[in-house]
Amino acid sequence: MRFERYGAGLVKGMIVTFKHLLRHPITTQYPEQRLVPSRRTRGNELIWNSAKCVVCTTCAKTCPQGAIHMVTAVDPANANKLTITTIEVDSGYCISCGLCVESCPYNALHMGYAYEKAKYRRQELVQSNEGLLATETRKASAYMHADMEKELPEQTLLINNKQQG
Ligand code: SF4
Ligand code: SF4
């Protein structure tokens, strides 16, 4: 009797196994295959627009992690104005909460679009000055900036991948 029950379970298990064997794979072969993240993703770096920034330091004060460090100075060309001499974001402390982006009153800060940022050295996790500016490879996401969505590629999902495959 016991043997019969064991056999039935084995058959059921094999049926499940065969179903999975015939199913289309739903995983991707990373890193050869990469999915495109959401256009409003909160990537693991920040993008700063120095032209829009008015050096109010709101972002640094808002950060719950103390991950943004700013050094300001009086603008030599205008004594009523401040300039940033150093801006650093330690992405090793950043939890990608997006509060700094939400708090910026001049839309000068964006969440990055990238999600791969493994580094060999701790210091390389700190973005500073020019390292915070947008480049061809370092793009801003549309998080908190829905108007930027049209410039970004459509998100691919595992389910899309399945249909395409
Ligand atoms: S995303 Fe959050 S943790 Fe990261 S720098 Fe901005 S406020 Fe700080
Ligand atoms: S909150 Fe915006 S405008 Fe103010 S210092 Fe930060 S990036 Fe610049």
Side-chain angles (χ1 to χ4, degrees):
M1 191 68 180
R2 270 187 183 176
F3 179 75
E4 281 175 16
R5 273 200 217 127
Y6 174 76
L10 187 68
V11 171
K12 277 185 196 169
M14 291 308 288
I15 290 170
V16 172
T17 303
F18 276 111
K19 272 187 190 167
H20 281 273
L21 277 178
L22 299 173
R23 200 177 64 179
H24 195 283
I26 58 168
T27 52
T28 53
Q29 297 300 313
Y30 181 85
E32 288 80 15
Q33 290 178 297
R34 285 177 163 84
L35 298 175
V36 179
S38 162
R39 291 162 167 169
R40 298 190 193 190
T41 190
R42 292 181 302 204
N44 54 9
E45 59 185 1
L46 292 184
I47 309 294
W48 177 53
N49 186 329
S50 58
K52 284 186 178 177
C53 180
V54 297
V55 201
C56 66
T57 69
T58 304
C59 52
K61 290 172 192 158
T62 306
C63 178
Q65 293 293 96
I68 304 178
H69 174 65
M70 280 183 176
V71 180
T72 61
V74 176
D75 188 341
N78 183 350
N80 293 320
K81 206 175 157 201
L82 288 175
T83 58
I84 287 184
T85 52
T86 304
I87 174 169
E88 287 180 345
V89 178
D90 191 333
S91 61
Y93 285 121
C94 175
I95 54 172
S96 300
C97 65
L99 290 177
C100 53
V101 175
E102 292 177 30
S103 68
C104 177
Y106 292 92
N107 295 335
L109 209 54
H110 303 263
M111 295 306 297
Y113 197 64
Y115 56 90
E116 297 163 308
K117 207 176 177 186
K119 300 288 182 196
Y120 284 106
R121 292 176 187 82
R122 176 66 181 78
Q123 187 55 30
E124 291 173 5
L125 291 173
V126 179
Q127 293 177 263
S128 58
N129 299 353
E130 289 77 22
L132 280 156
L133 304 177
T135 64
E136 267 305 304
T137 53
R138 197 170 46 242
K139 291 186 170 27
S141 95
Y143 176 75
M144 282 298 291
H145 300 281
D147 54 306
M148 291 170 53
E149 277 194 0
K150 56 184 181 307
E151 298 160 23
L152 297 168
E154 191 179 351
Q155 177 182 12
T156 52
L157 299 169
L158 291 176
I159 188 80
N160 293 351
N161 209 41
K162 186 178 170 185
Q163 285 161 0
Q164 285 160 10

